[in-house]
């Protein structure tokens, strides 16, 4: 079902002019012609002070593809960008105004994406400029590899590979080459590049409804940058599968869209289509580079990952592959101050990157505790084993409940995070925990949690166990009083570094009541059990607390009143499970003494 799209805009008719105004406010090196709303031209501010003595490189087209094309205006790239309305080719008057504004005696090169409206409007503007005495050349880029040839007079669509052509042409012009030479380099670059896009959603134009043409669980191969249908709609696949398909399509020996064969050197561009997080683009890049190297036998010389030519809020990406030679690489590496060209990617890309080894820890290594055979456990070791196993299993069983609570008061992953920690503890206990040494075992628990939990909870639990280790180390047999002191030290450390105290609606609201009872009376087991009951009571009481730490601080108080703090409930659960496990372990021996 279609619905009205949501946009952070004012009048839908003003989105392009207001975008341009914001762009030039952001980047001092950019300016625009005072011809709104008909004429929408972004140009280099420095070319207006004197006649321009180099070839002007001009591109443009319909808006909605930002940062293309205006974001690539700057020394070493475009001299001007002509902006049409959203997904609409700019009018001839706007194009000719841009030509007049920046073209000097060296002439200008128009770089045009292969769409009928762009070809016609830029072509007519070129002819008019020539009639006025300007030297003008035009290069049309059609890098789409999604649709099989032939495409009739329409030809292949212009996609993100156009940005690489911009860079080559802009660098050639900046080097002082003639119009003919700049045009020749741009044309050569356009013939070396192929692109294919993949979309998870169509885009929503300002002021219009959002289409439901591409439903849940589907992706479209070869969807155009204006939302036009692609080659096929298929079920959603893992990104590695999608990347593999796209690379094979671009490099197909049947279509021969690009003159790339095994042994060629290439440049790779992973381009976001507007609503794709950088994380997902990097995941695609991480697959594409080794696949090009290993499966296709190509040397990858440069990798550009980011959003270069988008389609408003479309989710998806395109991949562009350009055959590289020394001249093209020189142009791509040439300096530019165009605001949207990526920095830090120039220079040779290594054939493979070997991760740098993690620096060794100065503390005792876990490997020293690795056991090839089961340990012979003393009484304390047996207690440690049953307590740890029970505590970890309790958290594993509570995963969904903790997530449910956290979805109402946090980010919904408390159970999953603690589940990772509990699973790691169980695995590491069998492999490397020195259970007969309680202090070192506590230290290793902290290391296990730090390794897999991450986030705030991971570091707080690591602090918790590190503080306990500092309190216990040096003692071969730990007395109940020493355990109680260790718990107090752990609570104090978590409070010190985390900033929370009792009543802040955190795991401390379970652990603080427990620590106050643990070292009371002569019956250590009874104190442990009462302490665990206090932990549960404290955790339940968080329903009535106003959050003053963690993500719950952003939740309205009335929403918190029915849900306990998941972190406190998790802490109380493992603590209570450990106490009950120790009780069950001790009860048979007590019975034998009667």
């Amino acid at each position: 079902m279609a619905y009205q799209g949501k946009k952070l805009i004012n009048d839908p008719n003003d989105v392009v002019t207001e975008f341009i105004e914001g762009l030039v406010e952001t980047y001092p090196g950019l300016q625009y012609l005072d011809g709104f709303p008909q004429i929408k031209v972004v140009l280099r501010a420095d070319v207006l002070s004197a006649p321009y003595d180099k070839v002007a490189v001009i591109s443009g087209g319909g808006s909605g593809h930002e940062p293309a094309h205006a974001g690539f205006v700057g020394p070493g790239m475009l001299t001007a960008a002509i902006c049409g309305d959203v997904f609409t080719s700019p009018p001839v008057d706007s194009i000719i105004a841009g030509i007049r504004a920046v073209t000097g005696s060296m002439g200008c090169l128009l770089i045009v994406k292969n769409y009928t409206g762009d070809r016609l409007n830029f072509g007519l503007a070129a002819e008019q400029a020539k009639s006025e005495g300007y030297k003008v050349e035009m290069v049309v880029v059609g890098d789409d590899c999604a649709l099989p040839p032939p495409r009739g007079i329409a030809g292949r669509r212009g996609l993100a590979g156009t940005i690489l052509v911009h860079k080559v042409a802009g660098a050639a012009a900046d080097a002082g080459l003639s119009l003919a030479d700049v045009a020749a380099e741009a044309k050569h670059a356009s013939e070396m590049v192929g692109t294919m896009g993949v979309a998870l959603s169509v885009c929503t134009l300002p002021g219009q409804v959002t289409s439901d043409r591409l439903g849940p669980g589907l992706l479209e191969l070869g969807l155009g940058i204006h939302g036009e249908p692609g080659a096929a709609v298929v079920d959603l696949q893992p990104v590695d599968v999608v990347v593999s398909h796209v690379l094979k399509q671009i490099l197909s020996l049947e279509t021969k869209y690009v003159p790339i064969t095994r042994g060629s050197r290439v440049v790779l561009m992973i381009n976001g289509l507007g609503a794709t997080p950088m994380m997902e683009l990097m995941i695609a890049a991480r697959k594409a580079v080794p696949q090009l190297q290993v499966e296709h036998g190509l040397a990858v010389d440069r990798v550009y990952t980011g959003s270069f030519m988008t389609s408003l809020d479309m989710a998806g990406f395109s991949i562009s592959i350009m055959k590289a030679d020394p001249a093209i690489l020189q142009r791509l590496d040439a300096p530019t101050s165009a605001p949207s060209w990526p920095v830090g990617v120039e220079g040779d890309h290594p054939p493979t990157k070997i991760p740098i080894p993690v620096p060794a820890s100065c503390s005792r290594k876990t490997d020293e505790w690795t056991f090839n055979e089961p340990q012979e456990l003393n009484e304390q070791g047996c207690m440690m084993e049953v307590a740890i196993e029970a505590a970890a299993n309790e958290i594993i069983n509570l995963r969904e409940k903790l997530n449910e609570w956290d979805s109402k008061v946090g980010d919904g992953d408390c159970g999953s995070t603690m589940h990772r920690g509990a699973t790691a503890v169980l695995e590491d206990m069998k492999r490397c925990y020195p259970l007969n040494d309680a202090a070192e075992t506590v230290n290793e628990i902290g290391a296990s949690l730090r390794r897999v939990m991450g986030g705030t909870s991971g570091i707080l639990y690591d602090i918790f166990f590190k503080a306990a280790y500092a309190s216990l180390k040096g003692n071969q047999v730990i007395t109940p009083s020493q355990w109680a002191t260790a718990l107090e030290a752990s609570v104090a450390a978590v409070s010190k570094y985390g900033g929370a105290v009792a009543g802040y609606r955190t795991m401390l609201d379970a652990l603080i009541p427990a620590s106050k009872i643990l070292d009371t009376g002569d019956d250590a087991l009874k104190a442990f059990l009462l302490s665990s009951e206090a932990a549960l009571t404290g955790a339940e009481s968080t329903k009535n607390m106003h959050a003053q730490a963690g993500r719950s601080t952003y939740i309205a108080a009335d929403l918190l009143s029915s849900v306990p703090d998941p972190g406190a409930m998790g802490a109380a659960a493992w603590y209570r499970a450990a106490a009950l496990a120790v009780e069950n372990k001790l009860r048979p021996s007590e019975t034998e003494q009667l």
Side-chain angles (χ1 to χ4, degrees), residues 272-346:
L273 294 179
T276 309
M278 182 61 79
M279 176 184 288
E280 295 177 23
L281 297 179
M282 289 300 178
I283 292 172
R286 142 239 168 247
K287 171 64 175 178
V289 173
Q291 180 149 1
L292 287 172
Q293 294 169 328
V294 176
E295 295 190 24
H296 296 278
L298 305 175
V300 180
D301 283 334
R302 303 290 185 275
V303 180
Y304 305 99
T305 302
S307 293
F308 307 103
M309 182 177 288
T310 65
S311 184
L312 292 171
D313 56 353
M314 183 182 289
F317 65 88
S318 66
I319 295 179
S320 299
I321 306 173
M322 173 181 273
K323 186 176 183 180
D325 57 41
I328 283 179
L329 294 177
Q330 181 183 12
R331 299 306 185 204
L332 294 175
D333 287 348
T336 179
S337 57
S340 295
W341 179 255
V343 298
V345 295
E346 65 277 357

Side-chain angles (χ1 to χ4, degrees), residues 41-59:
V41 178
V42 176
L43 65 164
R44 287 171 49 181
D46 62 326
V47 304
L48 302 175
S49 57
Y52 193 52
D53 60 356
K54 295 180 180 178
V55 172
V57 180
I58 301 173
S59 189

Side-chain angles (χ1 to χ4, degrees), residues 155-384:
R156 297 159 61 191
R157 299 172 294 191
L159 300 174
T162 308
I163 304 302
L164 298 174
V165 179
H166 289 166
K167 185 63 176 67
V168 170
D174 201 48
L177 272 63
S178 67
L179 176 59
D181 289 340
V182 173
E185 288 202 23
K187 188 173 188 305
H188 172 70
S190 72
E191 294 168 346
M192 297 295 107
V193 64
T195 300
M196 180 174 173
V198 176
L200 303 180
S201 70
V202 297
C203 55
T204 303
L205 275 67
Q208 297 190 19
V209 297
T210 298
S211 170
D212 59 355
R213 180 171 64 80
L214 194 55
L218 299 175
L219 63 83
E220 189 155 3
L221 301 171
L223 190 74
I225 56 173
H226 308 101
E228 61 269 33
V233 175
V234 299
D235 290 336
L236 185 63
Q237 300 288 327
V239 69
D240 284 3
V241 177
V242 176
V243 168
S244 179
H245 174 82
V246 171
L247 296 181
K248 290 177 181 177
Q249 182 76 8
I250 296 173
L251 299 170
S252 170
L253 296 178
E254 296 179 6
T255 58
K256 296 182 180 178
Y257 273 144
V258 287
I260 299 174
T261 57
R262 296 187 74 86
S264 296
R265 310 194 74 85
V266 298
V267 168
L268 171 68
M269 173 180 278
I270 307 291
N271 170 61
L273 294 179
T276 309
M278 182 61 79
M279 176 184 288
E280 295 177 23
L281 297 179
M282 289 300 178
I283 292 172
R286 142 239 168 247
K287 171 64 175 178
V289 173
Q291 180 149 1
L292 287 172
Q293 294 169 328
V294 176
E295 295 190 24
H296 296 278
L298 305 175
V300 180
D301 283 334
R302 303 290 185 275
V303 180
Y304 305 99
T305 302
S307 293
F308 307 103
M309 182 177 288
T310 65
S311 184
L312 292 171
D313 56 353
M314 183 182 289
F317 65 88
S318 66
I319 295 179
S320 299
I321 306 173
M322 173 181 273
K323 186 176 183 180
D325 57 41
I328 283 179
L329 294 177
Q330 181 183 12
R331 299 306 185 204
L332 294 175
D333 287 348
T336 179
S337 57
S340 295
W341 179 255
V343 298
V345 295
E346 65 277 357
D348 292 336
H349 188 280
T352 184
K353 284 196 173 182
I354 306 299
I356 298 171
V358 176
S361 172
C362 295
S363 60
R364 196 167 187 175
K365 297 181 178 65
T366 297
D367 291 345
E368 295 179 18
W369 301 120
T370 301
F371 304 106
N372 297 320
E373 298 178 0
Q375 303 174 68
E376 288 190 18
L377 300 181
N378 57 25
E379 182 180 1
Q380 180 174 258
C382 290
M383 293 298 173
M384 292 293 294

